[in-house]
Structures are given as C-alpha cells and as structure tokens.
Amino acid sequence: MSETRLHHKFLTMAVVLLAGCAATPAVPPASAPATPVPPPSVLRGTGDLGLIIERATGSVQIVEHSGDSALGRVTGLGDLSHAAAVFSRDGRYAYVFGRDGGLTKIDLLTRVIVKRVIQAGNSIGGAISTDGRIVAAQNYEPGGVKLFDADTLELLSEVSTKDEATGTASKVVGLADLPGNRFAFSLFEAGAIWVMDASDPRAPKVTQYPNIGKQPYDGLGSMNGRYYIAGLYGEDGLALLDLWKPEQGVRRILNGYGRGADPLPVYKMPHLRGWAVSDGRAFFPAIGHNSVVVADTQTWKEVTQVPVAGQPVFAMVSPDGRRVWVNFAFPNNDTVQVIDVPTLAVVQTMKPCKGVLHFEFAPRGEEVWLSCRDENRVEVYDTQTFVRKTTLPADSPSGIFFTWRAARIGL
C-alpha cells in the first residue's frame, strides 16, 4: 500500500472515531461535584405528616401516620392554649395561630421555625387562600382580619371590624377559606357574616350580611365551597349563607332545636369545623344540650336529634362517610361515641382517656388520633375494630392537624 493511501485510511478512521466520540455523552471531569442524594431516612414527602399542639409548653410535635410515630418537636410558639393550624398547598409548611396573637410558619421537613410574628393581642385561628399565597388571621383583640404573604409573612392588609358609632371592634370567629381567594367569617358582637374577596390582597373587598342572630361563635365552610354556616351562642339555631346564591342573603336554620328543654351549663364551646355531612344529612353539636342535631341538606330542616353522652364539642364524619365521631365537654370529656349514619344510632361508646380535646382521621379513615390532654398522650385507634393501635407521649396535647387539610376547602 502506498504512503498516500495509508495516510488517507488513517485519516478516515480518525474522522469516524471523532464522530463516535461526538455522539457519546460528555463525561464530566473528575473534579465536578456529584449531586448529593439524601439518605432514605431523610428523603420523604409530606403526605403523611402532621402536627400535635402541645398547649402547656408552647410546642408542637411533628408526626407521621404511615408508621404512627413522632418525628420531632418544635418549641418557642408562645401561648397555644387555643391554637389552630393550616398548611401550604404543597404540605411542607404549617401556619400555627396562637392565643397570644402569634403566627408561626414551620417547615415540617426540617422541623424548624421559618418565621414568627406577633400580629395581634389575642387570636384563635385562621385560613389560607385557594392559591396558597395568602394567610388570613382572625383576631379577638383588637378584632378584625389580617392578611399575610404566605412566603414571607409580610402584612398585606387589614380588615377592621370596628363599629364607628360605638368605637368597639367585634371579635372575629369562624374564618373559613372559599373558592376564588375568598374568605368568610363571623362577627361575635355585631351578629354578622362578612365575605371577603382577597383577589387583590392589598385591597380586599368585603360584603356584609348583618342581623344573622345573636352571638355567632364559630363557622364553617362546606367542602365544595357552597355554604357558610355560623353557629349561634345567644340562641338555639344556625345562620346559613348559600354562596352560589348570595343575593338571597343569610337565612336561619334549625331555629329552637332545644325547644322544651332548659339548656345546661356550657363548659366548653362546641366546634363546627369538620363539616359532618353524609348521605344528605348534616350533623351539628347542640349547645347546652346532650344531643347531635341532624338536618336535611336539601331543606336544612331538622330530621332528628341523636341523644349522646354529654354536650358535644366535635361531631366529625369519617372519610368514608359511614360514621360520625363525637367527643364531649366536661364532665364527659373522657368519652367518645360513634354514630352510624344509615341508622342514626350510637354504635360505639369508648372511654379512651381523660380530657379528649380533639381528634383527627388519617386521610383514608383507617385510623383516628385522639388527644388526651389530661393524661399527656395521644391515642391511635383502628376505626373499624375500635382497637387501640399505639400510644404517643405528648405534653398536654390538644389540636391534631394532618397535611391532607392542604387540599380541602373550608378548613
């Protein structure tokens, strides 16, 4: 072979090799750092996380319900004697509202406080907007609602409930999120429901519905965002606003449900949160009476009352809709009862511990967590067999909140 042909052959082979190298992905130099992969014990989602309010110590426990275990504790949250929590839309962050007016943002994955602000003198709860950008705090003192940026907790605006004629501001209760970045809430002294459009959170617009009844003490939004219902402390009845037909205004429902019976002393106000609706019926705790009031959700008229062991605090339906679980005020706060929805009969009575303040279902309802304030623990029960699964120690626990709430309306 001639020298010219040999040179041409080598040149052709080099071109082919270079083409092959160009088609092969580049290999990073040895000095390029590899992306670290967290160990399996650290890498996790947020879908099974939650928190337990420890009211006596100003702390929360971060827990998970897949293995029914506690992951850690976050301290420094102030007065949690009456506290509530909502979650960011991705479930990573919890916003805790404390009695001392504190609003605290917690990272559930790293278990640290991201930011904390004292935004009022006395606060009992709040909500988060549909798009997750706005956190709203309801205040007892000085009244009103404040809107905050969910990322930074920057104050965006404030809606005052001050009556210019009297100079006093109503306590705000029953704050609930609604579709379209709206919120509904009730005014205790003024006897009113207000609906706030926070599409522009720096300039929210408010529609007022006055004269709904005496002393609304709590409220709830339905899970489809259609109804807002306020319970009345000053009289037996509730006030209902149909948000699909707001032009109809607020109407009274279940008037005089305690007729013929003298009300008992009220040691703890019932809570309407939980929206116990199943099979076309709504279940409401009666104030000052040992019963759960059942209403038809088409007519909103009373169907019956289910006699129970004491004055109900929470009446919450399990995720499958089959049963309504009820806990009670003192002196029956060691008791939990379960109502069967099809028969409206109490099918189970339990005495799990002293001071059952709150309970929370796992997302699919296979278990329920009960806070036992007076015995410093949380009990986890199988909801089908009513058998206790495990016990977790906790310091004077009250509210239990799981991250499934991030995807629900009205909570």
Side-chain angles (χ1 to χ4, degrees):
M1 183 181 293
S2 68
E3 183 177 345
T4 301
R5 291 180 63 190
L6 183 62
H7 177 75
H8 182 266
K9 183 174 181 180
F10 285 157
L11 183 62
T12 301
M13 291 174 64
V15 170
V16 171
L17 287 171
L18 285 173
C21 290
T24 302
V27 177
S31 59
T35 301
V37 177
S41 61
V42 175
L43 186 64
R44 67 174 305 144
T46 60
D48 68 346
L49 295 182
L51 58 84
I52 299 169
I53 302 292
E54 295 183 307
R55 56 186 288 149
T57 54
S59 58
V60 298
Q61 279 199 48
I62 310 301
V63 296
E64 54 82 29
H65 51 68
S66 291
D68 298 338
S69 69
L71 302 176
R73 177 179 280 109
V74 180
T75 61
L77 277 74
D79 184 355
L80 299 184
S81 58
H82 190 297
V86 297
F87 297 95
S88 60
R89 60 183 299 140
D90 64 358
R92 177 169 181 174
Y93 300 100
Y95 301 88
V96 179
F97 306 89
R99 175 66 87 176
D100 58 0
L103 169 58
T104 309
K105 181 178 180 179
I106 298 173
D107 187 329
L108 298 179
L109 292 179
T110 61
R111 301 191 285 280
V112 298
I113 292 176
V114 177
K115 182 135 187 209
R116 173 172 165 79
V117 297
I118 301 297
Q119 57 85 33
N122 190 335
S123 179
I124 62 165
I128 191 165
S129 61
T130 309
D131 63 7
R133 295 185 301 111
I134 309 160
V135 176
Q138 66 178 19
N139 293 322
Y140 266 20
E141 177 61 42
V145 174
K146 290 184 178 179
L147 301 182
F148 297 87
D149 182 281
D151 289 331
T152 65
L153 295 191
E154 172 198 358
L155 178 63
L156 301 174
S157 61
E158 180 177 359
V159 173
S160 173
T161 57
K162 181 179 289 187
D163 185 327
E164 297 302 330
T166 64
T168 60
S170 280
K171 300 181 185 69
V172 173
V173 297
L175 179 68
D177 63 283
L178 302 172
N181 284 357
R182 296 176 299 158
F183 299 93
F185 52 93
S186 298
L187 279 60
F188 182 79
E189 286 85 2
I193 291 173
W194 288 10
V195 177
M196 177 199 306
D197 184 344
S199 299
D200 179 358
R202 294 189 183 274
K205 299 176 181 179
V206 174
T207 302
Q208 301 182 19
Y209 299 89
N211 304 316
I212 67 165
K214 296 179 182 178
Q215 299 176 323
Y217 72 92
D218 196 9
L220 61 85
S222 65
M223 289 188 181
N224 63 357
R226 177 171 182 175
Y227 297 108
Y228 177 80
I229 298 177
L232 302 176
Y233 179 67
E235 51 192 304
D236 289 346
L238 298 94
L240 180 144
L241 175 62
D242 186 341
L243 292 152
W244 292 4
K245 301 175 182 178
E247 69 281 358
Q248 295 181 354
V250 175
R251 64 188 175 107
R252 293 289 298 277
I253 61 174
L254 305 180
N255 284 335
Y257 58 72
R259 54 191 171 275
D262 292 330
L264 301 169
V266 178
Y267 292 104
K268 182 174 177 58
M269 292 297 294
H271 289 253
L272 294 181
R273 296 307 172 95
W275 189 240
V277 171
S278 181
D279 197 29
R281 297 162 177 167
F283 298 77
F284 298 104
I287 301 176
H289 304 281
N290 295 346
S291 64
V292 171
V293 183
V294 184
D296 183 289
T297 57
Q298 293 298 314
T299 64
W300 293 105
K301 293 182 178 179
E302 183 178 320
V303 174
T304 188
Q305 295 189 31
V306 180
V308 288
Q311 292 185 47
V313 175
F314 283 98
M316 295 174 61
V317 68
S318 58
D320 63 0
R322 178 60 192 264
R323 293 165 173 164
V324 174
W325 289 60
V326 186
N327 70 330
F328 303 97
F330 178 85
N332 304 103
N333 58 0
D334 63 344
T335 303
V336 173
Q337 289 191 310
V338 182
I339 300 171
D340 179 62
V341 170
T343 63
L344 298 180
V346 173
V347 295
Q348 183 73 17
T349 297
M350 306 160 54
K351 290 185 177 293
C353 55
K354 296 178 181 178
V356 180
L357 291 195
H358 195 270
F359 54 93
E360 181 85 327
F361 295 101
R364 297 192 181 188
E366 75 280 3
E367 63 184 29
V368 63
W369 291 42
L370 307 174
S371 64
C372 303
R373 178 198 59 191
D374 298 348
E375 297 185 14
N376 295 310
R377 67 177 190 263
V378 168
E379 302 277 23
V380 182
Y381 278 80
D382 184 299
T383 54
Q384 299 302 308
T385 64
F386 307 112
V387 173
R388 184 174 62 192
K389 296 177 64 177
T390 191
T391 298
L392 301 175
D395 292 330
S396 190
S398 56
I400 304 172
F401 304 92
F402 290 151
T403 55
W404 58 254
R405 291 169 172 262
R408 304 290 177 90
I409 295 171
L411 293 177

